[in-house]
Amino acid sequence: MECNVGLKEQKLRVLAGMAIIGIGAYYNIKGLAAVGLIPIATGMLRYCPVNQAIGYNGCAETRKGSAVL
């Protein structure tokens, strides 16, 4: 798997996933909480199959200015 999620997008995905899980837990909607795991997983792996399908690569901008982790 090649990186296609940039650093800023990674942070946004993890925060959004945590917010979705929090809303799901607050309103006791288990399905919504489970959906919140998807952006967290794609953020932590820095790979998103949807980005690959549409041809978007957020890591390309990361490689220009700084080292890739």
Side-chain angles (χ1 to χ4, degrees):
M1 288 185 300
E2 186 176 325
C3 170
N4 66 1
V5 174
L7 292 175
K8 290 180 185 177
E9 186 180 357
Q10 176 190 24
K11 292 174 186 175
L12 182 65
R13 283 175 184 259
V14 172
L15 288 174
M18 289 172 48
I20 292 169
I21 289 173
I23 292 169
Y26 182 78
Y27 290 108
N28 199 19
I29 304 171
K30 294 177 184 171
L32 186 62
V35 168
L37 294 174
I38 296 170
I40 291 175
T42 58
M44 296 305 292
L45 294 174
R46 295 191 66 197
Y47 171 77
C48 179
V50 175
N51 284 0
Q52 183 178 13
I54 62 173
Y56 174 75
N57 187 356
C59 283
E61 65 186 36
T62 305
R63 290 184 183 146
K64 291 178 186 174
S66 64
V68 176
L69 300 175

CSV table of all heavy atoms in Angstrom, one decimal:
chain,number,residue,atom,x,y,z
A,1,MET,N,0.8,-1.2,0.0
A,1,MET,CA,0.0,0.0,0.0
A,1,MET,C,0.9,1.2,0.0
A,1,MET,O,1.7,1.4,0.9
A,1,MET,CB,-0.9,0.0,1.2
A,1,MET,CG,-2.0,-1.0,1.2
A,1,MET,SD,-3.1,-0.8,2.6
A,1,MET,CE,-2.0,-1.1,4.0
A,2,GLU,N,0.7,2.1,-1.0
A,2,GLU,CA,1.4,3.3,-1.0
A,2,GLU,C,0.6,4.4,-0.3
A,2,GLU,O,-0.6,4.5,-0.4
A,2,GLU,CB,1.6,3.7,-2.5
A,2,GLU,CG,2.5,4.9,-2.7
A,2,GLU,CD,2.7,5.2,-4.2
A,2,GLU,OE1,2.8,4.2,-4.9
A,2,GLU,OE2,2.8,6.3,-4.5
A,3,CYS,N,1.3,5.3,0.3
A,3,CYS,CA,0.7,6.4,1.0
A,3,CYS,C,0.0,7.3,0.0
A,3,CYS,O,0.5,7.7,-1.0
A,3,CYS,CB,1.8,7.2,1.7
A,3,CYS,SG,1.3,8.8,2.4
A,4,ASN,N,-1.3,7.6,0.3
A,4,ASN,CA,-2.1,8.5,-0.5
A,4,ASN,C,-2.9,9.5,0.4
A,4,ASN,O,-3.8,10.2,-0.1
A,4,ASN,CB,-2.9,7.8,-1.5
A,4,ASN,CG,-4.0,7.0,-0.9
A,4,ASN,OD1,-4.2,7.0,0.3
A,4,ASN,ND2,-4.8,6.3,-1.8
A,5,VAL,N,-2.6,9.5,1.7
A,5,VAL,CA,-3.2,10.5,2.6
A,5,VAL,C,-2.1,11.3,3.2
A,5,VAL,O,-1.2,10.8,3.9
A,5,VAL,CB,-4.0,9.7,3.7
A,5,VAL,CG1,-4.5,10.7,4.8
A,5,VAL,CG2,-5.1,8.9,3.1
A,6,GLY,N,-2.2,12.7,3.0
A,6,GLY,CA,-1.2,13.6,3.5
A,6,GLY,C,-1.3,13.8,5.0
A,6,GLY,O,-2.2,13.3,5.7
A,7,LEU,N,-0.3,14.4,5.6
A,7,LEU,CA,-0.3,14.6,7.1
A,7,LEU,C,-1.5,15.4,7.6
A,7,LEU,O,-2.0,15.1,8.6
A,7,LEU,CB,1.0,15.3,7.5
A,7,LEU,CG,2.3,14.4,7.2
A,7,LEU,CD1,3.5,15.2,7.5
A,7,LEU,CD2,2.2,13.1,8.1
A,8,LYS,N,-1.8,16.5,6.9
A,8,LYS,CA,-2.9,17.3,7.4
A,8,LYS,C,-4.2,16.5,7.3
A,8,LYS,O,-5.1,16.6,8.2
A,8,LYS,CB,-3.0,18.6,6.6
A,8,LYS,CG,-1.9,19.6,6.9
A,8,LYS,CD,-2.1,20.8,6.0
A,8,LYS,CE,-0.9,21.8,6.2
A,8,LYS,NZ,-1.0,23.0,5.4
A,9,GLU,N,-4.4,15.8,6.2
A,9,GLU,CA,-5.6,15.0,6.0
A,9,GLU,C,-5.6,13.9,7.0
A,9,GLU,O,-6.7,13.5,7.5
A,9,GLU,CB,-5.6,14.4,4.6
A,9,GLU,CG,-6.8,13.7,4.2
A,9,GLU,CD,-6.8,13.2,2.8
A,9,GLU,OE1,-5.8,13.4,2.0
A,9,GLU,OE2,-7.8,12.5,2.4
A,10,GLN,N,-4.5,13.3,7.4
A,10,GLN,CA,-4.4,12.3,8.4
A,10,GLN,C,-5.0,12.8,9.7
A,10,GLN,O,-5.8,12.1,10.3
A,10,GLN,CB,-3.0,11.8,8.5
A,10,GLN,CG,-2.8,10.8,9.6
A,10,GLN,CD,-1.4,10.5,10.0
A,10,GLN,OE1,-0.5,11.3,9.7
A,10,GLN,NE2,-1.1,9.3,10.5
A,11,LYS,N,-4.5,13.9,10.1
A,11,LYS,CA,-5.0,14.5,11.4
A,11,LYS,C,-6.4,14.8,11.4
A,11,LYS,O,-7.2,14.5,12.3
A,11,LYS,CB,-4.2,15.7,11.7
A,11,LYS,CG,-2.7,15.5,12.0
A,11,LYS,CD,-1.9,16.7,12.2
A,11,LYS,CE,-0.5,16.4,12.3
A,11,LYS,NZ,0.3,17.7,12.4
A,12,LEU,N,-6.9,15.3,10.2
A,12,LEU,CA,-8.3,15.6,10.1
A,12,LEU,C,-9.2,14.4,10.1
A,12,LEU,O,-10.2,14.3,10.8
A,12,LEU,CB,-8.6,16.4,8.8
A,12,LEU,CG,-10.0,16.8,8.5
A,12,LEU,CD1,-10.4,17.8,9.6
A,12,LEU,CD2,-10.1,17.4,7.2
A,13,ARG,N,-8.7,13.3,9.5
A,13,ARG,CA,-9.5,12.0,9.5
A,13,ARG,C,-9.6,11.4,10.9
A,13,ARG,O,-10.6,11.0,11.3
A,13,ARG,CB,-8.8,11.0,8.5
A,13,ARG,CG,-9.0,11.3,7.1
A,13,ARG,CD,-8.2,10.3,6.2
A,13,ARG,NE,-8.4,10.6,4.8
A,13,ARG,CZ,-9.1,9.9,4.0
A,13,ARG,NH1,-9.8,8.9,4.5
A,13,ARG,NH2,-9.2,10.2,2.7
A,14,VAL,N,-8.5,11.4,11.6
A,14,VAL,CA,-8.5,10.9,12.9
A,14,VAL,C,-9.4,11.7,13.9
A,14,VAL,O,-10.2,11.1,14.6
A,14,VAL,CB,-7.1,10.8,13.5
A,14,VAL,CG1,-7.1,10.4,15.0
A,14,VAL,CG2,-6.2,9.8,12.7
A,15,LEU,N,-9.3,13.0,13.8
A,15,LEU,CA,-10.2,13.8,14.6
A,15,LEU,C,-11.7,13.7,14.2
A,15,LEU,O,-12.5,13.6,15.1
A,15,LEU,CB,-9.8,15.3,14.5
A,15,LEU,CG,-8.5,15.7,15.2
A,15,LEU,CD1,-8.1,17.1,14.9
A,15,LEU,CD2,-8.6,15.5,16.7
A,16,ALA,N,-12.0,13.6,12.9
A,16,ALA,CA,-13.3,13.4,12.5
A,16,ALA,C,-13.9,12.0,12.9
A,16,ALA,O,-15.0,11.9,13.4
A,16,ALA,CB,-13.4,13.5,11.0
A,17,GLY,N,-13.0,11.0,12.9
A,17,GLY,CA,-13.4,9.7,13.3
A,17,GLY,C,-13.7,9.7,14.8
A,17,GLY,O,-14.7,9.1,15.2
A,18,MET,N,-12.9,10.3,15.6
A,18,MET,CA,-13.2,10.4,17.0
A,18,MET,C,-14.5,11.1,17.3
A,18,MET,O,-15.2,10.8,18.2
A,18,MET,CB,-12.0,11.1,17.7
A,18,MET,CG,-10.7,10.2,17.7
A,18,MET,SD,-9.2,10.9,18.3
A,18,MET,CE,-9.7,11.7,19.8
A,19,ALA,N,-14.7,12.2,16.5
A,19,ALA,CA,-16.0,13.0,16.7
A,19,ALA,C,-17.2,12.1,16.4
A,19,ALA,O,-18.2,12.1,17.1
A,19,ALA,CB,-15.9,14.2,15.9
A,20,ILE,N,-17.1,11.4,15.3
A,20,ILE,CA,-18.2,10.5,14.9
A,20,ILE,C,-18.4,9.4,16.0
A,20,ILE,O,-19.6,9.1,16.3
A,20,ILE,CB,-17.9,9.9,13.5
A,20,ILE,CG1,-17.9,10.9,12.4
A,20,ILE,CG2,-18.9,8.8,13.2
A,20,ILE,CD1,-17.4,10.5,11.1
A,21,ILE,N,-17.4,8.8,16.5
A,21,ILE,CA,-17.5,7.8,17.5
A,21,ILE,C,-18.1,8.5,18.8
A,21,ILE,O,-19.0,7.9,19.4
A,21,ILE,CB,-16.2,7.2,17.9
A,21,ILE,CG1,-15.8,6.3,16.7
A,21,ILE,CG2,-16.3,6.4,19.2
A,21,ILE,CD1,-14.4,5.7,16.8
A,22,GLY,N,-17.7,9.7,19.1
A,22,GLY,CA,-18.3,10.4,20.3
A,22,GLY,C,-19.8,10.7,20.1
A,22,GLY,O,-20.5,10.5,21.1
A,23,ILE,N,-20.2,11.1,18.9
A,23,ILE,CA,-21.6,11.4,18.7
A,23,ILE,C,-22.4,10.1,18.8
A,23,ILE,O,-23.5,10.0,19.3
A,23,ILE,CB,-21.8,12.1,17.3
A,23,ILE,CG1,-21.2,13.5,17.4
A,23,ILE,CG2,-23.2,12.1,16.9
A,23,ILE,CD1,-21.1,14.2,16.1
A,24,GLY,N,-21.8,9.0,18.2
A,24,GLY,CA,-22.5,7.7,18.2
A,24,GLY,C,-22.7,7.2,19.6
A,24,GLY,O,-23.7,6.6,20.0
A,25,ALA,N,-21.6,7.4,20.4
A,25,ALA,CA,-21.7,6.9,21.8
A,25,ALA,C,-22.7,7.8,22.6
A,25,ALA,O,-23.4,7.3,23.5
A,25,ALA,CB,-20.3,7.0,22.5
A,26,TYR,N,-22.7,9.1,22.4
A,26,TYR,CA,-23.6,10.0,23.1
A,26,TYR,C,-25.1,9.6,22.9
A,26,TYR,O,-25.9,9.6,23.8
A,26,TYR,CB,-23.3,11.4,22.8
A,26,TYR,CG,-24.1,12.4,23.5
A,26,TYR,CD1,-23.8,12.7,24.8
A,26,TYR,CD2,-25.2,13.0,22.9
A,26,TYR,CE1,-24.6,13.6,25.5
A,26,TYR,CE2,-26.0,13.9,23.6
A,26,TYR,CZ,-25.7,14.2,24.9
A,26,TYR,OH,-26.5,15.1,25.6
A,27,TYR,N,-25.4,9.4,21.6
A,27,TYR,CA,-26.8,9.1,21.2
A,27,TYR,C,-27.1,7.6,21.2
A,27,TYR,O,-28.1,7.2,20.8
A,27,TYR,CB,-27.1,9.7,19.9
A,27,TYR,CG,-27.2,11.2,19.9
A,27,TYR,CD1,-26.2,12.0,19.4
A,27,TYR,CD2,-28.2,11.9,20.6
A,27,TYR,CE1,-26.2,13.4,19.4
A,27,TYR,CE2,-28.3,13.3,20.6
A,27,TYR,CZ,-27.3,14.0,20.1
A,27,TYR,OH,-27.4,15.4,20.1
A,28,ASN,N,-26.1,6.8,21.6
A,28,ASN,CA,-26.2,5.4,21.7
A,28,ASN,C,-26.6,4.7,20.3
A,28,ASN,O,-27.5,3.9,20.2
A,28,ASN,CB,-27.3,5.0,22.8
A,28,ASN,CG,-27.1,3.5,23.2
A,28,ASN,OD1,-26.1,2.9,22.9
A,28,ASN,ND2,-28.1,3.0,23.8
A,29,ILE,N,-25.9,5.2,19.3
A,29,ILE,CA,-26.1,4.7,17.9
A,29,ILE,C,-24.8,3.9,17.6
A,29,ILE,O,-23.8,4.4,17.2
A,29,ILE,CB,-26.3,5.8,16.9
A,29,ILE,CG1,-27.5,6.7,17.3
A,29,ILE,CG2,-26.5,5.2,15.5
A,29,ILE,CD1,-27.6,7.9,16.5
A,30,LYS,N,-24.9,2.6,17.8
A,30,LYS,CA,-23.7,1.7,17.6
A,30,LYS,C,-23.2,1.7,16.2
A,30,LYS,O,-22.0,1.7,15.9
A,30,LYS,CB,-24.0,0.3,18.1
A,30,LYS,CG,-24.2,0.3,19.6
A,30,LYS,CD,-24.6,-1.1,20.0
A,30,LYS,CE,-24.9,-1.1,21.5
A,30,LYS,NZ,-25.5,-2.3,22.0
A,31,GLY,N,-24.1,1.8,15.2
A,31,GLY,CA,-23.7,1.8,13.8
A,31,GLY,C,-22.9,3.0,13.4
A,31,GLY,O,-21.9,3.0,12.7
A,32,LEU,N,-23.3,4.2,14.0
A,32,LEU,CA,-22.5,5.4,13.7
A,32,LEU,C,-21.2,5.3,14.4
A,32,LEU,O,-20.2,5.8,13.8
A,32,LEU,CB,-23.3,6.6,14.3
A,32,LEU,CG,-22.7,8.0,14.0
A,32,LEU,CD1,-22.7,8.2,12.5
A,32,LEU,CD2,-23.6,9.1,14.6
A,33,ALA,N,-21.1,4.8,15.6
A,33,ALA,CA,-19.8,4.6,16.2
A,33,ALA,C,-18.9,3.7,15.4
A,33,ALA,O,-17.7,4.0,15.3
A,33,ALA,CB,-20.0,4.1,17.6
A,34,ALA,N,-19.5,2.7,14.8
A,34,ALA,CA,-18.7,1.7,14.0
A,34,ALA,C,-18.2,2.4,12.8
A,34,ALA,O,-17.0,2.2,12.3
A,34,ALA,CB,-19.5,0.5,13.7
A,35,VAL,N,-19.0,3.3,12.2
A,35,VAL,CA,-18.6,4.0,11.0
A,35,VAL,C,-17.4,5.0,11.3
A,35,VAL,O,-16.6,5.2,10.4
A,35,VAL,CB,-19.8,4.8,10.4
A,35,VAL,CG1,-19.3,5.8,9.3
A,35,VAL,CG2,-20.8,3.8,9.8
A,36,GLY,N,-17.3,5.5,12.5
A,36,GLY,CA,-16.2,6.3,12.9
A,36,GLY,C,-14.9,5.7,12.9
A,36,GLY,O,-13.8,6.3,12.8
A,37,LEU,N,-14.8,4.3,12.9
A,37,LEU,CA,-13.6,3.6,12.8
A,37,LEU,C,-12.9,3.7,11.4
A,37,LEU,O,-11.7,3.6,11.3
A,37,LEU,CB,-13.8,2.2,13.2
A,37,LEU,CG,-14.2,1.9,14.6
A,37,LEU,CD1,-14.5,0.4,14.8
A,37,LEU,CD2,-13.1,2.3,15.6
A,38,ILE,N,-13.7,3.9,10.4
A,38,ILE,CA,-13.2,4.0,9.0
A,38,ILE,C,-12.2,5.1,8.9
A,38,ILE,O,-11.1,4.9,8.4
A,38,ILE,CB,-14.3,4.0,8.0
A,38,ILE,CG1,-15.1,2.7,8.1
A,38,ILE,CG2,-13.8,4.2,6.6
A,38,ILE,CD1,-16.4,2.6,7.3
A,39,PRO,N,-12.6,6.4,9.2
A,39,PRO,CA,-11.7,7.5,9.0
A,39,PRO,C,-10.4,7.4,9.9
A,39,PRO,O,-9.3,7.8,9.5
A,39,PRO,CB,-12.4,8.7,9.3
A,39,PRO,CG,-13.7,8.3,9.9
A,39,PRO,CD,-13.9,6.9,9.6
A,40,ILE,N,-10.6,6.8,11.1
A,40,ILE,CA,-9.5,6.6,12.0
A,40,ILE,C,-8.5,5.6,11.3
A,40,ILE,O,-7.3,5.8,11.3
A,40,ILE,CB,-9.9,6.1,13.4
A,40,ILE,CG1,-10.6,7.3,14.1
A,40,ILE,CG2,-8.7,5.6,14.2
A,40,ILE,CD1,-11.2,6.9,15.4
A,41,ALA,N,-9.0,4.5,10.8
A,41,ALA,CA,-8.2,3.5,10.2
A,41,ALA,C,-7.4,4.0,9.0
A,41,ALA,O,-6.2,3.8,8.8
A,41,ALA,CB,-9.0,2.2,9.8
A,42,THR,N,-8.2,4.7,8.1
A,42,THR,CA,-7.5,5.3,6.9
A,42,THR,C,-6.5,6.4,7.3
A,42,THR,O,-5.5,6.5,6.6
A,42,THR,CB,-8.6,5.8,5.9
A,42,THR,OG1,-9.3,6.8,6.5
A,42,THR,CG2,-9.5,4.7,5.4
A,43,GLY,N,-6.8,7.1,8.3
A,43,GLY,CA,-5.8,8.1,8.8
A,43,GLY,C,-4.6,7.5,9.3
A,43,GLY,O,-3.4,7.9,9.0
A,44,MET,N,-4.7,6.5,10.1
A,44,MET,CA,-3.6,5.8,10.8
A,44,MET,C,-2.7,5.1,9.7
A,44,MET,O,-1.5,5.1,9.8
A,44,MET,CB,-4.0,4.9,11.9
A,44,MET,CG,-4.7,5.6,13.0
A,44,MET,SD,-3.7,7.0,13.8
A,44,MET,CE,-2.4,6.1,14.5
A,45,LEU,N,-3.3,4.4,8.8
A,45,LEU,CA,-2.6,3.7,7.7
A,45,LEU,C,-2.1,4.6,6.6
A,45,LEU,O,-1.2,4.2,5.9
A,45,LEU,CB,-3.5,2.7,7.1
A,45,LEU,CG,-4.0,1.5,8.0
A,45,LEU,CD1,-5.0,0.6,7.3
A,45,LEU,CD2,-2.8,0.7,8.4
A,46,ARG,N,-2.6,5.8,6.6
A,46,ARG,CA,-2.3,6.8,5.5
A,46,ARG,C,-2.5,6.3,4.1
A,46,ARG,O,-1.9,6.6,3.2
A,46,ARG,CB,-0.9,7.3,5.7
A,46,ARG,CG,-0.7,8.1,7.0
A,46,ARG,CD,0.6,8.8,7.1
A,46,ARG,NE,0.6,9.9,6.1
A,46,ARG,CZ,1.7,10.5,5.7
A,46,ARG,NH1,2.9,10.1,6.2
A,46,ARG,NH2,1.7,11.4,4.8
A,47,TYR,N,-3.6,5.4,4.0
A,47,TYR,CA,-4.0,4.9,2.8
A,47,TYR,C,-5.5,4.8,2.7
A,47,TYR,O,-6.1,4.4,3.7
A,47,TYR,CB,-3.4,3.4,2.6
A,47,TYR,CG,-4.0,2.7,1.4
A,47,TYR,CD1,-3.5,3.1,0.1
A,47,TYR,CD2,-5.0,1.8,1.5
A,47,TYR,CE1,-4.1,2.4,-1.0
A,47,TYR,CE2,-5.6,1.2,0.4
A,47,TYR,CZ,-5.1,1.5,-0.9
A,47,TYR,OH,-5.6,0.9,-2.0
A,48,CYS,N,-6.1,5.3,1.6
A,48,CYS,CA,-7.5,5.3,1.5
A,48,CYS,C,-7.8,4.8,0.1
A,48,CYS,O,-7.4,5.3,-0.9
A,48,CYS,CB,-8.0,6.7,1.6
A,48,CYS,SG,-9.8,6.8,1.4
A,49,PRO,N,-8.6,3.7,0.0
A,49,PRO,CA,-9.0,3.1,-1.3
A,49,PRO,C,-9.8,4.0,-2.2
A,49,PRO,O,-9.7,4.0,-3.4
A,49,PRO,CB,-9.7,1.8,-1.0
A,49,PRO,CG,-9.9,1.8,0.5
A,49,PRO,CD,-9.1,2.9,1.1
A,50,VAL,N,-10.6,4.9,-1.5
A,50,VAL,CA,-11.4,5.9,-2.3
A,50,VAL,C,-10.5,6.9,-3.0
A,50,VAL,O,-10.7,7.2,-4.1
A,50,VAL,CB,-12.4,6.6,-1.4
A,50,VAL,CG1,-13.2,7.6,-2.1
A,50,VAL,CG2,-13.4,5.5,-0.8
A,51,ASN,N,-9.5,7.4,-2.2
A,51,ASN,CA,-8.5,8.3,-2.8
A,51,ASN,C,-7.8,7.6,-4.0
A,51,ASN,O,-7.6,8.3,-5.1
A,51,ASN,CB,-7.4,8.7,-1.8
A,51,ASN,CG,-7.9,9.7,-0.8
A,51,ASN,OD1,-9.1,10.1,-0.9
A,51,ASN,ND2,-7.1,10.1,0.1
A,52,GLN,N,-7.5,6.4,-3.9
A,52,GLN,CA,-6.8,5.7,-5.0
A,52,GLN,C,-7.8,5.5,-6.2
A,52,GLN,O,-7.3,5.7,-7.3
A,52,GLN,CB,-6.3,4.3,-4.6
A,52,GLN,CG,-5.6,3.5,-5.6
A,52,GLN,CD,-5.1,2.2,-5.1
A,52,GLN,OE1,-5.5,1.7,-4.1
A,52,GLN,NE2,-4.2,1.6,-5.9
A,53,ALA,N,-9.0,5.2,-5.9
A,53,ALA,CA,-10.0,5.1,-7.0
A,53,ALA,C,-10.2,6.3,-7.8
A,53,ALA,O,-10.4,6.3,-9.0
A,53,ALA,CB,-11.3,4.6,-6.4
A,54,ILE,N,-10.2,7.5,-7.2
A,54,ILE,CA,-10.4,8.7,-7.9
A,54,ILE,C,-9.1,9.4,-8.4
A,54,ILE,O,-9.1,10.4,-9.0
A,54,ILE,CB,-11.2,9.8,-7.0
A,54,ILE,CG1,-10.4,10.2,-5.8
A,54,ILE,CG2,-12.6,9.2,-6.7
A,54,ILE,CD1,-11.1,11.3,-5.0
A,55,GLY,N,-7.9,8.8,-8.0
A,55,GLY,CA,-6.6,9.2,-8.4
A,55,GLY,C,-6.1,10.4,-7.6
A,55,GLY,O,-5.2,11.1,-8.1
A,56,TYR,N,-6.5,10.6,-6.4
A,56,TYR,CA,-6.0,11.6,-5.5
A,56,TYR,C,-4.9,11.1,-4.7
A,56,TYR,O,-4.9,10.0,-4.1
A,56,TYR,CB,-7.1,12.2,-4.6
A,56,TYR,CG,-6.6,13.1,-3.6
A,56,TYR,CD1,-6.3,14.4,-4.0
A,56,TYR,CD2,-6.5,12.8,-2.3
A,56,TYR,CE1,-5.9,15.3,-3.0
A,56,TYR,CE2,-6.1,13.7,-1.3
A,56,TYR,CZ,-5.7,15.0,-1.7
A,56,TYR,OH,-5.3,15.8,-0.8
A,57,ASN,N,-3.8,11.8,-4.6
A,57,ASN,CA,-2.7,11.5,-3.8
A,57,ASN,C,-2.2,12.7,-2.9
A,57,ASN,O,-1.6,13.6,-3.4
A,57,ASN,CB,-1.5,11.0,-4.6
A,57,ASN,CG,-0.4,10.4,-3.8
A,57,ASN,OD1,-0.4,10.5,-2.6
A,57,ASN,ND2,0.6,9.9,-4.4
A,58,GLY,N,-2.6,12.7,-1.6
A,58,GLY,CA,-2.3,13.8,-0.7
A,58,GLY,C,-0.8,13.7,-0.3
A,58,GLY,O,-0.3,14.7,0.2
A,59,CYS,N,-0.1,12.6,-0.4
A,59,CYS,CA,1.3,12.5,0.0
A,59,CYS,C,2.2,13.2,-1.0
A,59,CYS,O,3.3,13.5,-0.7
A,59,CYS,CB,1.7,11.0,0.1
A,59,CYS,SG,1.0,10.2,1.6
A,60,ALA,N,1.8,13.4,-2.2
A,60,ALA,CA,2.6,14.1,-3.2
A,60,ALA,C,3.0,15.4,-2.7
A,60,ALA,O,4.2,15.8,-2.9
A,60,ALA,CB,1.9,14.2,-4.5
A,61,GLU,N,2.1,16.2,-2.1
A,61,GLU,CA,2.5,17.5,-1.6
A,61,GLU,C,3.4,17.4,-0.3
A,61,GLU,O,4.2,18.3,-0.1
A,61,GLU,CB,1.2,18.3,-1.2
A,61,GLU,CG,0.5,17.7,-0.1
A,61,GLU,CD,-0.9,18.4,0.2
A,61,GLU,OE1,-1.5,18.8,-0.8
A,61,GLU,OE2,-1.2,18.5,1.4
A,62,THR,N,3.3,16.3,0.4
A,62,THR,CA,4.2,16.1,1.6
A,62,THR,C,5.6,15.9,1.2
A,62,THR,O,6.5,16.4,1.8
A,62,THR,CB,3.6,14.9,2.4
A,62,THR,OG1,2.3,15.1,2.7
A,62,THR,CG2,4.4,14.8,3.7
A,63,ARG,N,5.8,15.2,0.1
A,63,ARG,CA,7.2,14.8,-0.3
A,63,ARG,C,7.9,16.0,-0.8
A,63,ARG,O,9.1,16.1,-0.8
A,63,ARG,CB,7.1,13.8,-1.4
A,63,ARG,CG,6.6,12.5,-0.9
A,63,ARG,CD,6.7,11.4,-1.9
A,63,ARG,NE,6.1,10.1,-1.4
A,63,ARG,CZ,5.5,9.3,-2.0
A,63,ARG,NH1,5.2,9.4,-3.3
A,63,ARG,NH2,5.0,8.2,-1.4
A,64,LYS,N,7.3,17.0,-1.3
A,64,LYS,CA,7.9,18.2,-1.9
A,64,LYS,C,8.7,19.0,-0.8
A,64,LYS,O,9.8,19.4,-1.0
A,64,LYS,CB,6.9,19.1,-2.6
A,64,LYS,CG,6.4,18.5,-3.9
A,64,LYS,CD,5.4,19.5,-4.5
A,64,LYS,CE,4.7,18.8,-5.7
A,64,LYS,NZ,3.6,19.7,-6.2
A,65,GLY,N,8.0,19.3,0.3
A,65,GLY,CA,8.5,20.2,1.3
A,65,GLY,C,9.2,19.6,2.5
A,65,GLY,O,10.0,20.2,3.1
A,66,SER,N,8.9,18.3,2.8
A,66,SER,CA,9.4,17.7,4.0
A,66,SER,C,9.6,16.2,3.8
A,66,SER,O,9.2,15.7,2.9
A,66,SER,CB,8.5,18.0,5.2
A,66,SER,OG,7.3,17.3,5.0
A,67,ALA,N,10.3,15.7,4.8
A,67,ALA,CA,10.6,14.2,4.7
A,67,ALA,C,9.3,13.4,5.0
A,67,ALA,O,8.5,13.8,5.8
A,67,ALA,CB,11.6,13.9,5.8
A,68,VAL,N,9.2,12.3,4.3
A,68,VAL,CA,8.1,11.4,4.5
A,68,VAL,C,8.4,10.5,5.6
A,68,VAL,O,9.5,9.9,5.7
A,68,VAL,CB,7.8,10.6,3.2
A,68,VAL,CG1,6.6,9.6,3.4
A,68,VAL,CG2,7.5,11.6,2.1
A,69,LEU,N,7.4,10.4,6.6
A,69,LEU,CA,7.7,9.5,7.7
A,69,LEU,C,7.3,8.1,7.4
A,69,LEU,O,6.5,7.7,6.7
A,69,LEU,CB,6.8,9.9,8.9
A,69,LEU,CG,7.1,11.4,9.4
A,69,LEU,CD1,6.1,11.8,10.4
A,69,LEU,CD2,8.5,11.5,9.9
